[in-house]
Structure formats: structure tokens, C-alpha cells
Amino acid sequence: MTDMTSTGSPTGRVAGRPLLNRRLDGLGTTIFAEMSALATATGAINLGQGFPDTDGPAAISESAVRAIRDGRGNQYPPGPGVPELRTAIAEHQQRFYGLTYDPDTEVLVTAGATEAIAATMLALLEPGDEVIAFEPFYDSYAASIAMAGATRVPLTLRAPDFRPDLDALRAAVTPRTRLLLLNSPHNPTGMVLTPDELTAIAELACERDLLVVTDEVYEHLVFEGGHHPIAALPGMRDRTVSLSSAGKTFSFTGWKVGWVTAAPDLVAAVRTAKQYLTYVSAGPFQYAVADALRLPDSYFTDLREGLRTKRDILAAGLTDAGFEVYLPHGTYFITTDIAELAPHSHALDFCRTLPERCGVVAVPNSVFYDHPTAGRTQVRFAFCKKTDVLREAADRLAHLAD
């Protein structure tokens, strides 16, 4: 950062003090903003940021329209979320996982899962606490932990299978460890924790009296095996904060409707922090998401199988283009390696030049690591796009070697 000059030019300091809180220094603009701006500037196909290029079910859009027309949610909704949505979230947890939550005391609606993560970190962490998280990790984890004044302790997931080293996890726990931050299905690698891995993590959490915060936004996008919430395991319900959202499951990422489910004391703590962030949001959309959560099983099956087909189309195209492809077990992202395709290239430089070279935008995984050398040749592509868009992207990528 530069200093503030007498003429008032932007320099990063005012009255001798930094403009940016030191806890956030080095985070800068998100990679998603940078790469999406590149896509806009070049007209490239954006496989970088994880948003669908089609809207979700028309019936759910109409539900939002009805709510607006009927005057439901146009003014401030209740701080914890509208009762209809909190009840639907509790029903969803019971329907899919056999978990019982009281919608009045154990469910909290948030402005997407990103706010849920931030509010949870601010509520549960104190300066000096340590948080163990799998790296590569979603970039808001680092920002949220930093804002809470805590220290992130990365546990590196390594190619090709990106499975967690449970011995290393145990060794990483210290007297300062406050919580484990899990993400399964995992963004960006597509790793899905197995029942045995979850059991081992749960036993460690109980043994060392740790809280567990689990980001499950891709819960319905699992292609191999299934999604198993750690909150369902013995001893875990009262020490687990589970986070999810509607954006990934229903293809309405712009609505920003997320939620927290946990024991009453944990929800109360998160709500206390959340009320000073957005307070409330997405009033009419909350009613629509309540309807979405009650869609029949066939919707969730069709969503998963449709994305499985898209995954396979893009994976085949990337393989043909010379990428090493790590086929994901979940999410709608594929992690690749460019070491053979572009020797001596760094993923960030590769991604910054990719739009001009072939008209496709991707995201470098290296930005999701505290130890960037671990992901210096890894590149992530999103496949939550129309089939013809994925085929066109694959055709463009095939010309990289030309």
C-alpha cells in the first residue's frame, strides 16, 4: 500500500493510519472479481466463477414474484428469517438426513452461506484462537477468520485424490485450537468426505472438545457416494454448526439465501453477530426458497445427474486439450493440472492469459492455498453451464497447443 499525499490522492493511509485493517492486508480483490472482469472485457466463456448460466425452476421464480405482489417480505423480515423458511429448512434436514432442529431456536437464515461463514467466525472465535481448515479453501474463509482475529491453520489436501491426512489433522490440534472448519463436498477439489473420515474427525472433535463448522452448500451435488452430515454422528450435534444455501442447489445464486442449523446456544451466538452484518435480507426470496426446499426428490436427482453429464463432457474436453484432470466426486468444479500442458507456467499467469489465448476463463487454485506452491499448477473450471457452452469451451481449449 502507498501513503496518503497532501493532495488527497489515494495512498492507503489517512492521518498516518492504514486504510485497510491489518487483519485483511494481503487479501485484496477476490480472484472471482478479477477473472469475471476478464471474461467481460474479452467476451470469453466464463468457467471461472461458480454460477449457472440458466435460472432455476420457473415455479420457484413465480413463487418469488407472488411473494412480492402479495407484499410478503417487501419490508424487513424477522431477524432470524421468515418462519416459513425456517420450518422448511428444518424439514429438509429431517427429510434428507434424519436430523431434527427446532425452527424457532436452531435455524437462522443468512445472506447466503458467505454471511453464515462470516457471522459464525465472528461469533465463535476470539483473537489468538486457531482454526484448522482444509486447503485449498474458499477465499472467504481466510477473510472471516482474519476479521475475527484468529489464526488459520491449513491442512493441505494433495492431488490426485485430495483426501485429508487424518494423522496430520490430529497433529495440528493445539491448546489454542478452537474449531475445525470443514467443507464437504469440497470447493475447489470436489473431494467428498467418507463416513470413515467423518467418524475419525468427529472422534477427534469430541476428544479435544472442539467446535466444528461445516460448509455443506454442495450437499446435493455428490456424484460418487453420498453426503453425510457430521452433525448426525455421536456427540456432534451440540458442537456442530452446519451451513448451507439455496444458490447452488436451486440455481438462484443472486438471491443470496443461506442458513445455519445448530444447537440453540450456537445459533444465538451466530445470530448476535449476524444482526450487525446485514441484519436481514432477501425477504420475498425467503418464501420462494421455502417452496424450493419442498420440491420432490426427482428434482434433486435430476439436478445431480444433469451435472454429472456436464462434468463428464468438460472433463473429456479438458483431457483432450492436454490438462491432467482430477475428476470431482462432488460440487460443480473440476480441478486440473497444467504441468504437462504448460511446463514452467504458474496457474495464476496461465489463467490471466487464457481468455486472450483461447476465449475461456478459469480460476487458479493457487490463490486458495496458504502454501501456494502446493497448487501452483492447478486450475479450476466450473461446469454449471449449458451443455453447448461446455462443448464450445472444450473446442476452444483444444486449440491451446496450436
Side-chain angles (χ1 to χ4, degrees):
M1 294 188 295
T2 54
D3 290 336
M4 177 68 81
T5 67
S6 59
T7 59
S9 59
T11 62
R13 297 184 72 86
V14 174
R17 298 184 61 185
L19 286 175
L20 183 66
N21 186 310
R22 61 179 177 77
R23 294 175 180 171
L24 300 180
D25 195 11
L27 295 178
T29 302
T30 72
I31 192 64
F32 306 111
E34 178 182 349
M35 293 303 163
S36 290
L38 268 178
T40 300
T42 62
I45 296 173
N46 189 354
L47 302 187
Q49 194 165 6
F51 61 86
D53 57 0
T54 56
D55 288 342
I60 304 306
S61 297
E62 288 303 312
S63 180
V65 171
R66 283 197 306 274
I68 293 171
R69 288 175 174 163
D70 294 346
R72 291 179 294 140
N74 293 334
Q75 310 307 325
Y76 295 133
V82 300
E84 292 84 348
L85 177 54
R86 286 185 279 117
T87 298
I89 292 166
E91 290 173 354
H92 170 275
Q93 298 301 85
Q94 175 64 46
R95 170 185 171 187
F96 287 99
Y97 311 121
L99 289 165
T100 301
Y101 289 99
D102 182 337
D104 292 329
T105 62
E106 298 184 312
V107 179
L108 174 67
V109 178
T110 59
T114 300
E115 186 192 40
I117 293 163
T120 300
M121 297 298 109
L122 291 170
L124 302 182
L125 295 174
E126 295 286 347
D129 286 344
E130 293 180 350
V131 178
I132 300 176
F134 297 150
E135 72 163 358
F137 38 61
Y138 177 47
D139 59 353
S140 81
Y141 295 175
S144 297
I145 294 168
M147 286 190 288
T151 300
R152 61 185 182 273
V153 178
L155 184 74
T156 305
L157 305 178
R158 301 189 184 280
D161 57 6
F162 299 103
R163 305 245 56 94
D165 182 333
L166 297 177
D167 291 333
L169 174 61
R170 176 174 288 275
V173 176
T174 75
R176 294 183 298 278
T177 305
R178 171 66 168 164
L179 63 82
L180 308 177
L181 177 52
L182 307 181
N183 177 209
S184 178
H186 182 261
N187 173 17
T189 69
M191 179 274 295
V192 178
L193 290 171
T194 67
D196 287 346
E197 289 167 339
L198 288 164
T199 297
I201 294 169
E203 290 173 349
L204 176 62
C206 292
E207 175 189 330
R208 300 300 297 269
D209 193 24
L210 304 175
L211 296 173
V212 173
V213 177
T214 174
D215 177 352
E216 303 179 7
V217 298
Y218 299 99
E219 60 189 309
H220 290 292
L221 306 182
V222 178
F223 312 116
E224 318 295 336
H227 176 64
H228 305 280
I230 198 170
L233 296 179
M236 292 307 296
R237 189 189 184 283
D238 290 341
R239 67 174 68 249
T240 300
V241 179
S242 302
L243 316 176
S244 195
S245 75
K248 305 300 188 293
T249 299
F250 302 112
S251 299
F252 291 115
T253 58
W255 290 7
K256 297 298 291 180
V257 178
W259 52 85
V260 173
T261 53
D265 57 337
L266 292 171
V267 165
V270 177
R271 184 173 64 244
T272 299
K274 180 255 188 300
Q275 69 185 340
Y276 296 111
L277 298 176
T278 61
Y279 179 53
V280 294
S281 61
F285 299 135
Q286 292 189 32
Y287 294 95
V289 172
D291 290 341
L293 287 168
R294 296 187 174 106
L295 287 170
D297 289 353
S298 58
Y299 169 79
F300 298 92
T301 300
D302 291 346
L303 171 73
R304 181 182 67 247
E305 295 309 311
L307 282 166
R308 184 199 303 275
T309 297
K310 293 179 177 183
R311 176 198 68 171
D312 294 345
I313 289 171
L314 183 58
L318 290 166
T319 299
D320 290 345
F323 293 85
E324 182 176 3
V325 173
Y326 305 121
L327 199 67
H329 290 182
T331 76
Y332 46 47
F333 302 111
I334 294 177
T335 287
T336 66
D337 196 285
I338 61 169
E340 294 296 324
L341 176 66
H344 314 300
S345 292
H346 190 287
L348 181 58
D349 297 330
F350 179 89
C351 288
R352 282 173 169 161
T353 61
L354 193 62
E356 290 288 354
R357 294 173 63 196
C358 70
V360 175
V361 166
V363 164
N365 275 14
S366 55
V367 301
F368 304 134
Y369 287 84
D370 276 357
H371 304 111
T373 55
R376 68 176 305 276
T377 59
Q378 292 175 10
V379 173
R380 189 195 80 173
F381 294 85
F383 55 88
C384 50
K385 311 295 179 180
K386 297 173 186 173
T387 300
D388 59 339
V389 171
L390 296 174
R391 294 191 190 281
E392 173 63 22
D395 289 343
R396 295 184 184 188
L397 289 164
H399 296 294
L400 273 175
D402 293 352

